[in-house]
Amino acid sequence: MQKQLPSTSHKLKQLIASATTKKNQQRFFTTSLINNKRTYQEYESFLKPLGLVEENNAGACINGEWVASGKTIESINPSNNQPIASVTFPTLKEYEEGIKQLKKAEIEWKNKSAPYRGEIVRQIGVALRENIETLGKLVSLEMGKILPEGIGEVQEFVDICDFALGLSRSLNGQVIPSERKEHMMYEMWNPLGSVGIITAFNFPVAVYGWNLAIALVCGNCSVWKGAPSTSLTTIATGKIIQQVLKDNKLNPAICTILTGDRDIGEAIAKDKRVELVSFTGSTKVGKEVRNLVNDRWGNCLLELGGNNAIIISNDADIDLAVRGVLFACVGTAGQRCTTTRRLFVHEDKYDEFLTKLKKGYSAIKVGDPLKEAGVLSGPLHTKQAVTSYKNAIQQAKEQGGKVLFGGNTINREGNFVEPTIIEMQDPNAPIVQVETFVPIVYVMKFNDLGEAIKLNNSVEQGLSSSLFTSDPYKMFTWLGPNGSDCGIVNINIPTNGAEIGGAFGGNKATGGGRESGSDSWKQYMRRSTVTLNYGKDLPLAQGIKFD
């Protein structure tokens, strides 16, 4: 049974009242004028159980208290560009208080046993399961993805909790043979301290989950700043986690939650008290974050852009490939970092493949994911994304591109566009070389697999890639040293839809970070090489004599 999560506290209301200067009065007056246009009541059936209210949801959880006194923004439904509810961002002063409490919580959390920490993560997974439908609907409402993807995103958080539970009993270091008599050499892994997690709008729940679950079992506390445009999702997810900490009488600052703008993210990146910063977002901003963190000798985990490609070989199962490409290009309205942007089709299969692909595109229904049945592509997240979509199509045409399908905005309220296929003659055209976060795929011919692999590797990013083939030689060429240079290298599946069991991340301008499964946990811990002498003599390495 779902628990109703706590809404705005009495203390918060007092803080807001005390902060109502003339400037703030104007701000709140302006907000109240928008109230008649808000759609909160329409979705109250799942917003209220998540602890969300219509006005002034406090955008920071500091030591268990939901308080914030910064600027107030409206969360917007991209399906109609109407406000859902308002969120008050924290100030830098409130950020500072949050970090002070976070560092105090470190002492308690890092001294809990790893299996105990795993049990708390298990309970977080259970709480998410109990709220999977309501939270999934919120993701769909605020981000714009279809409901199965919204629920699937919460399921991904649940899955990583299950993974982390098992990991909590297997955080193993190596035992290494020593060249010295009566000596033992081995690895020790200890918590870093605190992890800053800065996430993007397109996966407002799952990416936090990848980081949080692993960080927690490794003994770290965390401070999370979600994307400003999905602040309701950040708050709702935070309330679920805070309830688990409260039920176990744990320090609530172990998981400090923040919404906010660039100033909060920049503060996290600059803060020496945050030992690891995990950032998900654009390559441009990621580079800025990396520089800020590097300047203070901090650790950085980057998950940035991906200009991903699929190669369709002349021996591919064309029907399978079409199904894979459809989801890879159109899923989440082209707003995944693993969305396919480039499509290389062997010239012998080009016409057949495109005929079937266009038929598949024509069956895709675009619409409001919570109000219309059968929708497979929701809106773009912002009006700015619609502008990017139009600009990219215009540039592609100017660079020799031909629109084979779509290419238009949809004349209705909201940020809806047609999934688009553009044929390009030049795979090195400037527009093909950049990632545009919209449902546009550039399709090109190739003749030789080696040529296609070079084109796959020709962009600055190296996130995800896929080859459709039935030839084992081509498969292992693709996987080998002369194959794809990406962090994710698939065969006969799309570029998107990664499972949590593998390490997720990419190379080159994608940032080099790895999250989620495999041995990604090592980035959240500090490693020590230990040499223990249990004998009576003191032999030196390399046979050195110092007598």
Side-chain angles (χ1 to χ4, degrees):
M1 178 179 255
Q2 288 183 358
K3 296 178 181 177
Q4 183 161 322
L5 299 169
S7 60
T8 309
S9 67
H10 177 66
K11 182 176 179 180
L12 168 65
K13 292 175 182 176
Q14 289 180 321
L15 280 171
I16 291 173
S18 66
T20 311
T21 61
K22 185 174 182 180
K23 181 178 179 181
N24 285 337
Q25 286 173 348
Q26 179 63 42
R27 182 191 73 203
F28 287 117
F29 176 71
T30 302
T31 299
S32 69
L33 291 178
I34 305 174
N35 284 350
N36 292 331
K37 298 181 181 179
R38 284 208 194 103
T39 55
Y40 174 88
Q41 292 182 356
E42 187 176 350
Y43 303 104
E44 188 175 16
S45 62
F46 61 85
L47 295 176
K48 188 174 181 180
L50 291 169
L52 299 172
V53 294
E54 186 170 352
E55 274 197 77
N56 302 321
N57 291 276
C61 184
I62 299 169
N63 204 30
E65 287 287 329
W66 289 91
V67 292
S69 58
K71 75 174 184 179
T72 295
I73 61 102
E74 296 286 342
S75 175
I76 302 298
N77 176 0
S79 289
N80 56 22
N81 284 320
Q82 294 298 315
I84 305 163
S86 66
V87 174
T88 303
F89 284 168
T91 63
L92 286 174
K93 184 177 180 181
E94 287 160 336
Y95 165 82
E96 178 62 27
E97 180 60 27
I99 296 298
K100 286 179 181 177
Q101 297 299 327
L102 177 76
K103 299 308 283 185
K104 290 179 183 178
E106 276 184 15
I107 299 169
E108 173 185 348
W109 187 245
K110 70 182 180 182
N111 286 299
K112 300 289 187 185
S113 71
Y116 174 84
R117 299 192 298 252
E119 167 57 19
I120 299 304
V121 172
R122 184 194 69 81
Q123 291 183 35
I124 290 173
V126 170
L128 288 163
R129 281 188 180 96
E130 292 172 350
N131 291 276
I132 193 167
E133 186 173 344
T134 52
L135 189 55
K137 285 181 178 179
L138 174 58
V139 171
S140 184
L141 173 67
E142 192 175 34
M143 186 272 152
K145 62 180 63 176
I146 63 174
L147 185 56
E149 289 189 74
I151 291 173
E153 183 173 342
V154 184
Q155 182 63 49
E156 200 164 351
F157 198 156
V158 172
D159 292 344
I160 197 66
C161 287
D162 290 344
F163 178 91
L165 171 62
L167 180 64
S168 69
R169 293 183 180 271
S170 58
L171 294 167
N172 300 321
Q174 295 187 61
V175 176
I176 305 161
S178 174
E179 65 186 63
R180 288 171 279 187
K181 180 183 177 183
E182 297 177 331
H183 281 58
M184 180 179 181
M185 189 159 57
Y186 59 95
E187 290 178 344
M188 283 287 293
W189 294 88
N190 284 296
L192 286 172
S194 290
V195 176
I197 304 168
I198 304 173
T199 58
F201 75 87
N202 59 332
F203 279 87
V205 174
V207 174
Y208 174 52
W210 294 351
N211 285 275
L212 180 72
I214 305 301
L216 286 178
V217 297
C218 289
N220 301 296
C221 295
S222 72
V223 53
W224 174 33
K225 191 199 90 68
S229 57
T230 52
S231 291
L232 294 177
T233 302
T234 300
I235 294 167
T237 306
K239 290 192 174 195
I240 292 169
I241 292 164
Q242 284 294 313
Q243 189 62 50
V244 174
L245 297 177
K246 182 178 180 180
D247 291 345
N248 286 275
K249 297 181 173 57
L250 288 167
N251 190 324
I254 290 168
C255 298
T256 295
I257 315 292
L258 302 171
T259 59
D261 276 325
R262 182 186 177 96
D263 59 336
I264 300 296
E266 191 171 294
I268 293 172
K270 290 179 176 179
D271 202 325
K272 291 183 178 181
R273 295 166 295 180
V274 181
E275 284 79 5
L276 170 67
V277 176
S278 173
F279 173 83
T280 302
S282 71
T283 297
K284 179 182 177 182
V285 178
K287 191 174 184 179
E288 295 176 21
V289 171
R290 183 194 65 183
N291 291 340
L292 290 172
V293 176
N294 285 350
D295 281 348
R296 61 175 177 85
W297 298 103
N299 299 308
C300 210
L301 193 167
L302 299 175
E303 295 290 355
L304 310 176
N307 195 351
N308 315 294
I310 289 180
I311 299 171
I312 310 297
S313 178
N314 58 348
D315 50 59
D317 180 330
I318 295 300
D319 291 334
L320 181 69
V322 167
R323 288 165 53 201
V325 168
L326 269 175
F327 178 61
C329 297
V330 181
T332 326
Q335 297 170 111
R336 291 185 180 223
C337 53
T338 52
T339 294
T340 296
R341 314 286 176 195
R342 299 174 298 144
L343 186 58
F344 301 109
V345 184
H346 193 279
E347 60 187 15
D348 291 348
K349 296 291 184 178
Y350 189 81
D351 291 338
E352 177 190 357
F353 180 83
L354 275 180
T355 297
K356 292 186 175 182
L357 183 63
K358 287 188 285 185
K359 183 178 179 181
Y361 264 67
S362 67
I364 297 291
K365 182 176 179 179
V366 178
D368 186 325
L370 290 181
K371 290 185 175 181
E372 299 172 53
V375 168
L376 291 179
S377 183
L380 292 177
H381 188 58
T382 63
K383 292 180 180 179
Q384 291 85 349
V386 177
T387 300
S388 295
Y389 169 87
K390 292 190 288 188
N391 289 343
I393 292 171
Q394 181 60 35
Q395 290 176 49
K397 290 178 179 178
E398 292 171 356
Q399 295 166 26
K402 178 183 178 183
V403 176
L404 301 182
F405 188 93
N408 302 298
T409 58
I410 297 175
N411 187 21
R412 55 177 289 180
E413 63 177 2
N415 307 320
F416 294 97
V417 300
E418 295 175 343
T420 298
I421 304 169
I422 300 180
E423 181 180 58
M424 299 295 293
Q425 301 301 319
D426 181 7
N428 296 309
I431 192 63
V432 178
Q433 294 293 304
V434 299
E435 177 191 38
T436 307
F437 225 57
V438 297
I440 297 174
V441 63
Y442 304 108
V443 59
M444 292 150 280
K445 295 179 182 179
F446 77 93
N447 176 263
D448 174 72
L449 179 62
E451 170 198 357
I453 291 174
K454 286 180 181 179
L455 292 172
N456 175 79
N457 298 346
S458 66
V459 295
E460 66 173 1
Q461 302 95 338
L463 179 52
S464 189
S465 56
S466 186
L467 168 68
F468 280 81
T469 182
S470 58
D471 184 339
Y473 176 80
K474 292 178 181 177
M475 292 180 185
F476 285 98
T477 299
W478 174 242
L479 298 173
N482 299 311
S484 172
D485 65 359
C486 295
I488 299 170
V489 184
N490 294 333
I491 297 173
N492 294 331
I493 66 168
T495 53
N496 54 0
E499 300 178 32
I500 59 93
F504 181 91
N507 306 321
K508 303 189 297 187
T510 301
R514 294 297 186 273
E515 294 171 325
S516 196
S518 186
D519 65 349
S520 299
W521 62 270
K522 292 180 179 178
Q523 293 171 104
Y524 300 83
M525 303 195 82
R526 57 178 172 84
R527 182 199 329 230
S528 303
T529 299
V530 178
T531 306
L532 189 155
N533 179 1
Y534 57 88
K536 299 296 184 183
D537 296 325
L538 191 65
L540 301 178
Q542 293 85 46
I544 294 172
K545 301 294 183 182
F546 197 75
D547 296 326

